[in-house]
Amino acid sequence: MTTQTLPNTKIAIVGYGSQGRAHALNLRESGFDVTVGLRPGGPTEAKAQADGFVVKTPAEAVKDADLVAVLTPDMVQRKLYDEVLKDNIKPGACLLFAHGLNVHFDLIKPREDIDVVLVAPKGPGALVRREYEIGRGVPCIYAVYQDKSGNAEALALAYAAGLGGARANIIKTTFKEETETDLFGEQAVLCGGASSLVQAGFETLVEAGYQPEIAYYEVLHELKLIVDLFYEGGITRMLEFISETAQYGDYVSGPRVIDAATKARMKDILTDIQDGTFTKNWIAEYEAGLPNYNRFKKADMEHPIEVVGKKLRAKMVWLSANASQPDADDATSTEKAAAA
């Protein structure tokens, strides 16, 4: 399908973490001419070569590309663009991002003679690859920021289809909407909200005298069962598969935990995202060497729920075969920064 739409499109994938590898492999198998741009001697160069890709420096990889996909961590993209991509992307080419933070908040100001688009699969790279291999796909969202050629939307759609997104669902958005909703979801619900809720629940039970192992199973381990039901059919399916006792507890106690004050704080988080406060603070933190980030991360990794969880998971023999791999493209630590 993609080869018929844009038969001669040459794509340069810059970055080869979980997302970069999945994009490169899926696009190649969809008929695109794919080159990978990586720092010579970097940790992923051998991996890309083993997968059969021509690997060049980012500067060389993008020179002949019709579309350049930037799939490196957010905090290295501005330097990558300013020092490497800006002067090497050919006129009329398309610059593609999988997350809009750098463009939306003006950290990257793209040249006016190129197209700028966004294509974001709604899943980690391993899932994007696995679903493609079995003949399905992960839904994608896309946006057009700059359309110099008049063909930017067609390029974004062809790229999304090449990932397998057309097999599932493709939704048009904007850089603003993708960036702000993505950051909010991570902070208020998926990562920040969920992990803090789990930790607070664990602490409440242990402080009341219950065994840490029992608390772990009740507030963390069993969460997967509920999330899987959410994923399969929303809140409706979750309610269909839990007991009436659990349903009643949901109705009367959920609003006591997540109340109007919680929602008001969520709105404050969204405001900080929308007005750039979060991004400004994150840039300052990164440029300072991540002192608070590392302190926060250390505290989470040393939390009692992690100590007891490590012991319990060691007995869950099924986990070793099914463990999810970290998505390097979304990593923000300094050791990941040079991966491109």
Side-chain angles (χ1 to χ4, degrees):
M1 177 170 55
T2 53
T3 54
Q4 295 174 353
T5 305
L6 297 165
N8 299 314
T9 303
K10 294 182 179 180
I11 297 177
I13 301 290
V14 183
Y16 205 71
S18 176
Q19 284 287 345
R21 182 172 188 267
H23 287 220
L25 290 169
N26 290 9
L27 290 164
R28 182 175 66 184
E29 292 174 20
S30 293
F32 287 102
D33 179 354
V34 179
T35 298
V36 177
L38 297 171
R39 177 173 58 84
T44 52
E45 181 183 32
K47 190 173 185 180
Q49 290 172 336
D51 287 334
F53 287 104
V54 173
V55 179
K56 301 179 180 179
T57 66
E60 288 298 318
V62 307
K63 284 183 177 178
D64 297 324
D66 302 301
L67 186 150
V68 175
V70 180
L71 299 175
T72 58
D74 289 332
M75 290 297 101
V76 303
Q77 289 182 10
R78 175 168 56 174
K79 183 177 181 180
L80 174 68
Y81 178 78
D82 289 343
E83 297 183 2
V84 179
L85 303 184
K86 181 171 63 176
D87 295 332
N88 287 292
I89 296 175
K90 69 181 184 181
C94 180
L95 183 61
L96 180 145
F97 296 88
H99 179 42
L101 184 146
N102 278 277
V103 172
H104 176 56
F105 288 112
D106 293 323
L107 304 178
I108 290 176
K109 298 181 179 179
R111 281 178 10 207
E112 295 182 359
D113 64 324
I114 60 175
D115 294 339
V116 182
V117 302
L118 177 149
V119 175
K122 301 314 292 176
L127 181 66
V128 173
R129 180 59 183 158
R130 185 166 66 248
E131 288 295 292
Y132 183 93
E133 289 182 298
I134 61 177
R136 299 192 303 232
V138 170
C140 291
I141 61 176
Y142 80 97
V144 176
Y145 180 82
Q146 195 164 279
D147 185 8
K148 178 65 177 179
S149 69
N151 200 38
E153 184 167 18
L155 278 168
L157 287 169
Y159 187 99
L163 296 182
R167 301 171 181 173
N169 192 19
I170 300 177
I171 300 175
K172 188 173 185 178
T173 184
T174 63
F175 272 66
K176 172 182 169 62
E177 183 175 60
E178 185 278 333
T179 301
E180 294 176 359
T181 57
D182 185 79
L183 293 174
F184 177 81
E186 291 170 350
Q187 295 174 33
V189 181
L190 304 178
C191 304
S195 59
S196 293
L197 185 65
V198 165
Q199 289 173 339
F202 177 85
E203 291 166 5
T204 299
L205 288 176
V206 172
E207 289 167 6
Y210 300 104
Q211 296 178 67
E213 294 81 2
I214 300 298
Y216 176 89
Y217 280 121
E218 292 299 335
V219 304
L220 190 152
H221 181 81
E222 292 191 21
L223 183 61
K224 182 184 185 305
L225 307 177
I226 302 302
V227 171
D228 284 349
L229 293 172
F230 281 157
Y231 184 82
E232 293 166 6
I235 294 174
T236 298
R237 184 168 177 82
M238 184 271 288
L239 293 173
E240 289 174 354
F241 280 82
I242 64 174
S243 70
E244 291 177 336
T245 302
Q247 287 183 44
Y248 182 69
D250 174 329
Y251 303 143
V252 300
S253 297
R256 297 174 66 188
V257 177
I258 308 300
D259 58 12
T262 307
K263 188 174 178 180
R265 291 191 294 272
M266 284 185 168
K267 290 182 177 180
D268 291 340
I269 291 170
L270 182 57
T271 297
D272 284 348
I273 291 167
Q274 291 171 326
D275 67 16
T277 298
F278 168 78
T279 298
K280 179 181 177 182
N281 291 342
W282 174 219
I283 292 171
E285 174 70 17
Y286 184 84
E287 292 179 344
L290 303 171
N292 294 305
Y293 169 94
N294 289 326
R295 177 168 55 84
F296 295 148
K297 186 172 184 178
K298 184 174 185 290
D300 267 0
M301 295 179 73
E302 294 177 354
H303 190 279
I305 199 171
E306 290 302 295
V307 177
V308 69
K310 186 176 182 179
K311 295 177 182 177
L312 293 175
R313 289 191 296 271
K315 300 177 181 180
M316 301 177 192
V317 294
W318 64 90
L319 290 181
S320 58
N322 299 318
S324 298
Q325 295 299 312
D327 195 330
D329 304 308
D330 293 331
T332 48
S333 57
T334 50
E335 64 268 23
K336 296 290 186 183

